Amino acid sequence: RSYVPDPERIAEIDAMRKRLRADSRGVIDPNSKFMKRWDIITTVALLFTAIVTPVEVGFSACTTFKSALFWLNRGVDVVFVTDICVNFSLAQVDHSRGEGCG
């Protein structure tokens, strides 16, 4: 015996889906193109930090406001602070149900 859903029930489900989409504005899908690109950016910033910081400290490279390395480090700082903000808006995946929840 096959199940035939009630047309009223289908309309109710569609209306709820629309409300949920409207309520999830500002929530970032962890599988989106944006997040894939953002992960690459943060990985590059992390690799830069892992390589440059030990050299900078080991050879006591003096970085002043006029130094390009100083401004490059500030740019990396901005990437990491932005990453913190992005993570506050990132949806979490419920692995037990296989669904995302904002």
Side-chain angles (χ1 to χ4, degrees):
R1 181 176 163 180
S2 65
Y3 171 74
V4 178
D6 180 24
E8 280 184 31
R9 185 77 173 144
I10 292 173
E12 185 181 327
I13 291 170
D14 287 340
M16 182 168 291
R17 284 183 179 151
K18 285 181 183 177
R19 273 193 312 250
L20 287 172
R21 277 192 210 110
D23 288 345
S24 65
R25 280 180 273 158
V27 178
I28 301 171
D29 179 7
N31 299 316
S32 67
K33 270 186 182 177
F34 168 77
M35 280 310 299
K36 289 176 183 169
R37 291 177 183 156
W38 184 248
D39 287 343
I40 291 169
I41 291 169
T42 55
T43 301
V44 169
L46 185 61
L47 289 172
F48 172 83
T49 303
I51 294 167
V52 172
T53 301
V55 172
E56 190 177 5
V57 170
F59 295 107
S60 18
C62 182
T63 55
T64 63
F65 288 111
K66 295 179 182 179
S67 167
L69 185 58
F70 174 83
W71 292 107
L72 197 55
N73 278 327
R74 298 304 66 82
V76 170
D77 291 344
V78 167
V79 168
F80 289 138
V81 169
T82 304
D83 187 50
I84 292 170
C85 297
V86 165
N87 278 291
F88 277 115
S89 298
L90 193 62
Q92 298 297 311
V93 177
D94 183 354
H95 292 288
S96 64
R97 294 175 37 182
E99 299 175 352
C101 53

